[in-house]
């Protein structure tokens, strides 16, 4: 379970970073509250299982996977945006050449 919490947390952290950089005040505040509640859950699980290193490792692996998913998605989205822009510019250049 804590593995999946790590994934979700990193996706939320990515969303938080995006809202903060775009100065979305309310959204960043709401996401911060959600992130703190997740941290409370994680902290409680780790404190109650201090002798079990697998809890921490599972959480760490989940965080790594969540970061990779978020990074991949943002890269995919950015590349898709660039491709659309290139296609649009090429189309406009061709139209311009035809009507020149």
């Amino acid at each position: 379970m804590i593995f999946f919490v790590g994934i979700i947390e990193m996706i939320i952290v990515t969303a938080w970073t995006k809202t903060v950089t775009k100065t979305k005040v309310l959204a960043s505040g709401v996401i911060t509250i959600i992130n703190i509640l997740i941290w409370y859950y994680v902290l409680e699980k780790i404190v109650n299982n201090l002798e079990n290193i697998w809890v921490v490792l599972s959480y760490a692996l989940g965080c790594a996977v969540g970061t990779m998913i978020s990074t991949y998605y943002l890269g995919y989205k950015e590349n898709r945006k660039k491709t659309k822009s290139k296609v649009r510019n090429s189309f406009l250049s061709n139209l311009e050449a035809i009507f020149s």
Side-chain angles (χ1 to χ4, degrees), residues 4-66:
F4 295 107
V5 171
I7 292 173
I8 292 167
E9 183 181 7
M10 289 302 109
I11 291 170
I12 287 173
V13 167
T14 301
W16 177 85
T17 302
K18 193 169 186 175
T19 59
V20 167
T21 57
K22 293 190 177 202
T23 321
K24 294 185 178 183
V25 177
L26 183 60
S28 63
V30 170
I31 293 171
T32 298
I33 291 169
I34 294 167
N35 195 36
I36 295 300
L37 293 173
I38 290 171
W39 251 104
Y40 178 80
Y41 172 81
V42 169
L43 188 59
E44 187 264 335
K45 290 297 178 195
I46 290 174
V47 168
N48 288 336
N49 293 291
L50 284 176
E51 71 287 344
N52 189 352
I53 190 69
W54 296 110
V55 172
V56 175
L57 289 175
S58 179
Y59 173 67
L61 287 171
C63 288
V65 170

Side-chain angles (χ1 to χ4, degrees), residues 75-87:
Y76 170 79
K77 192 174 172 184
E78 184 64 28
N79 286 337
R80 189 169 175 215
K81 186 177 175 182
K82 286 178 185 177
T83 301
K84 279 184 179 180
S85 178
K86 286 180 183 178
V87 168

